[in-house]
Amino acid sequence: MAAQAKKRVLSGITATGRLHIGNYIGAISQWVDNQAVYENLLFVADLHALTIPQAVAGQDLRARVEEIFALYLACGIDPEQSTLFVQSDIVEHAELGWIMTCTTPVSWLERMTQFKTKGKIADVDTGVGAGLLCYPALQAADILLYDPDLVPVGEDQKQHVEITRDIAKRFNTLFGDTFKIPDVVIRQAGGRIMGLDDPTAKMSKSTAERAPGHAIGLLDPLDKARKSIMRAVTDSNSGVDFATELAPGVTNLLTIFECFTGTSRDQSAARFDGAGYGKLKSDVADAVIGRLTEIQQRYREITDDRDQLNKLLTQGAERARSIAGPKLAQAYRATGLRS
Ligand code: AQP
């Protein structure tokens, strides 16, 4: 029997800040777990980081991008099994992004929740950049350039992949069948790790930049990580009582524990029911710090070998370009820009 081709998966993380355990649980660890099953194309979305220019002004964005790339490797992504690349290294993203911006009705873009929420925190004097509005058109290009079968995302990103499907269908109707319509896969476990300082808000890179104690960074000093977990918001009770509704902060700590140790909620209940919050936090801290120690050790080895890191950046970009280049050419022909 002929071997079935692996399904192609495309996924990425925006370089809006330093990676945290939410990004690890919700995205990177799942890529690692699936890398033998799928053909993974994984990228660092640096062009998207410019959608809020105030957030990156004055920073060495390329250094942050390469930190994220090295962290993908340090977390266990195998560059022989997966294609890893940086978005701005592949100019086809920006080129197809323009075509998709022209294909997408403004009314679709204005409906995006992320535009509405992030637009509110943009600089009041200069207003919102057009890039924040057009972000989903570039994201559609990021995806459609590679003809993926599946795009796994957290619940909050679902709307952006749905608009990608709509943009692809609209392009195909206007210019002829060009793009494959990918399926959205919504991740379940650990899909939304919440802030340690505020368990009603999603742990996020940009909040972590201004709120110490909000997130655990993958490269945070280990004693700082432990302190942030020990200070995590729970509720005014003294311990875990599974017979009552658990506070969001307690549920969040349990989810983090389960994701880092591979245990189930039933196993957590057996371990923590009746335990004080001190014991819960201390066990969560041990589990997180055990994994961070491995990741940070591997990260140091990777970044110490600069030549090898540059080689992997080049190799990944070449592989990505070999798929994106012909697809862009096809889109140029479909629009009539090329014959
Ligand atoms: N708190 C989270 N829990 C679980 N998964 C998460 N992801 C992000 N935060 C959590 C997942 O990580 C990937 C990164 O996506 P992104 O950087 O493109 O967008 P994001 O979701 O907006 O990430 P952040 O960290 O919250 O950044 P900012 O502050 O820039 O908005 C996605 O797969 C996401 O689901």
Side-chain angles (χ1 to χ4, degrees):
M1 208 167 71
Q4 251 193 334
K6 284 182 181 176
K7 287 202 167 167
R8 182 176 289 172
V9 171
L10 183 106
S11 206
I13 296 184
T14 317
T16 35
R18 307 188 77 190
L19 298 193
H20 51 72
I21 58 169
N23 300 129
Y24 177 77
I25 292 172
I28 305 173
S29 68
Q30 313 215 13
W31 303 340
V32 173
D33 290 347
N34 292 333
Q35 61 186 337
V37 180
Y38 294 125
E39 179 197 353
N40 275 334
L41 289 140
L42 308 170
F43 70 108
V44 183
D46 55 348
L47 294 174
H48 287 289
L50 295 175
T51 54
I52 302 191
Q54 305 89 316
V56 293
Q59 293 200 24
D60 187 346
L61 187 52
R62 183 67 191 190
R64 183 195 282 174
V65 165
E66 292 185 8
E67 176 182 297
I68 296 175
F69 185 91
L71 270 170
Y72 286 0
L73 297 163
C75 290
I77 298 293
D78 174 357
E80 292 311 316
Q81 289 196 74
S82 301
T83 300
L84 296 181
F85 62 97
V86 175
Q87 183 188 28
S88 68
D89 287 347
I90 316 297
V91 293
E92 285 82 352
H93 287 247
E95 290 189 43
L96 186 64
W98 174 249
I99 296 177
M100 292 315 183
T101 304
C102 297
T103 311
T104 310
V106 175
S107 59
W108 292 7
L109 298 170
E110 284 173 338
R111 278 203 296 271
M112 293 289 110
T113 318
Q114 193 155 311
F115 173 64
K116 292 185 198 160
T117 50
K118 291 204 170 163
K120 284 196 198 120
I121 56 169
D123 194 307
V124 282
D125 296 324
T126 50
V128 177
L132 192 63
L133 178 67
C134 299
Y135 177 118
L138 178 58
Q139 192 171 49
D142 298 335
I143 296 171
L144 299 172
L145 271 174
Y146 298 94
D147 278 337
D149 299 291
L150 307 171
V151 182
V153 287
E155 183 64 43
D156 53 333
Q157 289 275 333
K158 187 174 159 206
Q159 201 186 24
H160 282 171
V161 188
E162 278 167 355
I163 196 180
T164 291
R165 289 167 52 87
D166 292 339
I167 294 169
K169 286 178 196 160
R170 186 169 156 86
F171 183 102
N172 288 348
T173 306
L174 286 169
F175 300 113
D177 217 9
T178 307
F179 295 109
K180 182 166 182 167
I181 315 294
D183 287 331
V184 192
V185 183
I186 305 297
R187 288 189 296 261
Q188 297 304 324
R192 201 169 156 83
I193 300 299
M194 310 307 278
L196 296 176
D197 58 339
D198 175 5
T200 62
K202 187 183 82 132
M203 185 178 284
S204 92
K205 290 184 241 87
S206 31
T207 309
E209 302 261 308
R210 51 180 191 274
H214 169 76
I216 305 292
L218 294 183
L219 294 174
D220 275 357
L222 302 177
D223 55 341
K224 178 176 173 232
R226 184 175 290 278
K227 262 192 211 137
S228 300
I229 294 170
M230 295 311 289
R231 287 185 188 148
V233 169
T234 47
D235 61 10
S236 55
N237 298 335
S238 58
V240 193
D241 180 0
F242 276 87
T244 62
E245 193 182 335
L246 298 171
V250 177
T251 305
N252 193 38
L253 287 169
L254 288 169
T255 305
I256 295 171
F257 180 81
E258 288 153 9
C259 290
F260 274 91
T261 55
T263 48
S264 66
R265 185 54 50 96
D266 284 349
Q267 287 168 313
S268 286
R271 181 180 183 122
F272 294 117
D273 196 29
Y277 289 150
K279 152 88 179 149
L280 170 65
K281 290 176 177 178
S282 163
D283 283 12
V284 173
D286 289 346
V288 171
I289 284 165
R291 186 70 53 86
L292 291 193
T293 305
E294 292 162 17
I295 292 172
Q296 293 183 8
Q297 167 65 28
R298 184 84 194 98
Y299 177 82
R300 279 191 293 274
E301 289 162 14
I302 290 162
T303 49
D304 280 351
D305 191 346
R306 188 67 227 183
D307 288 347
Q308 174 64 5
L309 187 58
N310 284 337
K311 203 174 125 197
L312 292 175
L313 279 157
T314 306
Q315 174 190 302
E318 280 167 3
R319 270 203 234 154
R321 219 171 280 128
S322 72
I323 304 172
K327 195 76 211 178
L328 179 69
Q330 195 186 341
Y332 271 173
R333 283 194 299 276
T335 52
L337 287 167
R338 298 281 187 281
S339 49

